[in-house]
Amino acid sequence: MKRIKQRLPRHTWRNEGEAPDYRFSLANERTYLAWIRTALALLAGAIGIDQLTPDLADPLVRMLLSSFLCLCSGLLAIFAYRRWSQNEKAMRTNAQLKYTGFLKIISLIMLFLTVIVILVILL
């Protein structure tokens, strides 16, 4: 007969503190989903630029732009999950929510991307 390993409970942030008011948890989840929706839009934009605009620019420029958008999409999805879990942990332990400087970086990347797209369209 095989031995069945008894699974030990993992100590995670989900077990810490008390469950927050469900309204705050749901608001945190809605924010997470908004970030994911934005990541999906970036991914759709990358696919659109690569597949639907063959005359937009040189194929290398299109590939670089699409790759950059894909990379931004993946990083944004990772950021969204980390932000959601940090906020959830802070709510459970009754701690302050952490400020993130990543929002400035995202804004600068989007400004940079906008300038690149304008230059590609004009050239």
Side-chain angles (χ1 to χ4, degrees), residues 9-10 21 25-26 28 30 33-34 44 49 63 67 76 80 96 104 110 115 117:
R10 291 184 188 169
D21 185 348
S25 238
L26 291 175
N28 190 29
R30 281 191 303 272
L33 292 173
I49 287 174
M63 183 192 68
S67 298
L76 194 58
Q96 285 187 332
K104 289 179 187 175
M110 291 309 298
V115 169
V117 170

Side-chain angles (χ1 to χ4, degrees), residues 24-86:
F24 300 123
S25 238
L26 291 175
N28 190 29
E29 186 176 342
R30 281 191 303 272
T31 303
Y32 166 75
L33 292 173
W35 285 102
I36 293 297
R37 195 171 47 242
T38 303
L40 284 171
L42 287 173
L43 191 58
I47 293 169
I49 287 174
D50 184 55
Q51 296 295 312
L52 303 176
T53 57
D55 298 329
L56 178 66
D58 186 81
L60 179 63
V61 172
R62 279 194 348 259
M63 183 192 68
L64 290 174
L65 191 55
S66 294
S67 298
F68 179 72
L69 283 173
C70 285
L71 179 65
C72 287
S73 174
L75 290 175
L76 194 58
I78 291 169
F79 168 76
Y81 177 78
R82 291 192 64 211
R83 181 85 172 146
W84 171 82
S85 65
Q86 287 173 351

